[in-house]
Every structure is written in C-alpha cells, then in structure tokens.
Amino acid sequence: MEVEIRRRRHARYLRLAAAHAGPLGLALLGHPELAPRYLEAYGSCPGAEGLPCAGVGGEPGVCLVRRLEHLGRSALRGGRKRRAQEKAMVEGLLLCMGQLKKSFPPEFLPVLSATEAELRADLAYLEETLASQEKG
C-alpha cells in the first residue's frame, strides 16, 4: 500500500512539473489555449514573501518546475524526516501559488488553482501521515 501511495505522489508531482515546464504542458491541465502566453506569464515573478525568492524574484518556468520535480523524486523515498521536509516544501509552494495568482494574467487562474488543489491534497496527506507517526 505504501509503495502505491509513493508512486501516485511521484506521478502527481511529475505531472505538475510537466504542466508548468513549457507551453505544451498547459494542455495537461486542460488549457492548451494558454500556450501562446506561456513566456509572458512564466518569464518572471517578483518573488513571494516568506520564500528565498522574496524581493529578488525568479522565473516560475524554472524554480516552480524544479521544486515540483524535487518533490516527485522525494515522494519515492520514505521516512518521517523526509515527509516533514516535503510538508515544508509544499507549504512554500502554496505561498508561491498565492504570489503567482497575483502576478500571472487572470487567464492562468484555472491552471494555478488546479495546481494549488493538488498541493493542498498532498499537504493533507502529509499532515495526516506525520500525525499518525507521532502517535505510534
């Protein structure tokens, strides 16, 4: 059962990374019409308060994708410490999603909301897993 959960989480994060990695990836989240505006939206971000990119900004087509890929690789491994690190990273990505919702064109809101929903679902899993490990 645990192996199956790890594989599903791994696939989730690789799918999200692919969806944000380039213009064609937006079709994975059901929005191929946004492909021509990919460079405009993903070209820069002012940075999110509470993250290392605060004040200096970043390029979501790179930093967001790399964080999602990292979570995908991490999901295949086990351990309480790793899940706690993943939880912190997912919480950071949720801050990132909030910033991107402010800075991206409004047409991208469904893509960002879908990503945020996936992140919140995984955060709930991580919180539940960490709570159950503390109990027993």
Side-chain angles (χ1 to χ4, degrees), residues 12-13 29 60 101 106-108 110 114 122 124 131:
R12 166 188 279 163
Y13 282 112
L29 294 177
K101 283 181 174 182
E107 297 84 2
F108 283 82
D122 197 50

Side-chain angles (χ1 to χ4, degrees), residues 14-47:
L14 291 186
R15 183 175 150 270
L16 287 174
H20 292 281
L24 298 179
L26 296 169
L28 291 172
L29 294 177
H31 295 280
E33 74 281 1
L34 296 175
R37 300 199 58 202
Y38 178 84
L39 290 177
E40 171 193 347
Y42 286 82
S44 67
C45 169

Side-chain angles (χ1 to χ4, degrees), residues 45 94-117 120:
C45 169
L94 287 169
L95 288 175
C96 181
M97 287 295 108
Q99 177 61 43
L100 294 179
K101 283 181 174 182
K102 293 176 194 171
S103 61
F104 272 29
E107 297 84 2
F108 283 82
L109 188 59
V111 170
L112 298 173
S113 294
T115 301
E116 184 177 34
R120 288 197 185 283

Side-chain angles (χ1 to χ4, degrees), residues 119-131:
L119 291 170
R120 288 197 185 283
D122 197 50
L123 181 60
Y125 162 77
L126 291 169
E127 288 172 343
E128 180 183 312
T129 299
L130 289 170

Side-chain angles (χ1 to χ4, degrees), residues 5-77:
I5 291 170
R6 288 180 187 186
R7 286 182 183 157
R8 273 191 269 134
R9 291 185 67 235
H10 172 73
R12 166 188 279 163
Y13 282 112
L14 291 186
R15 183 175 150 270
L16 287 174
H20 292 281
L24 298 179
L26 296 169
L28 291 172
L29 294 177
H31 295 280
E33 74 281 1
L34 296 175
R37 300 199 58 202
Y38 178 84
L39 290 177
E40 171 193 347
Y42 286 82
S44 67
C45 169
E49 193 64 39
L51 293 177
C53 61
V56 295
E59 189 175 333
V62 177
C63 60
L64 173 62
V65 172
R66 295 293 179 260
R67 289 179 189 183
L68 292 167
E69 288 172 341
H70 176 80
L71 279 166
R73 288 188 304 274
S74 181
L76 290 175
R77 295 181 172 89

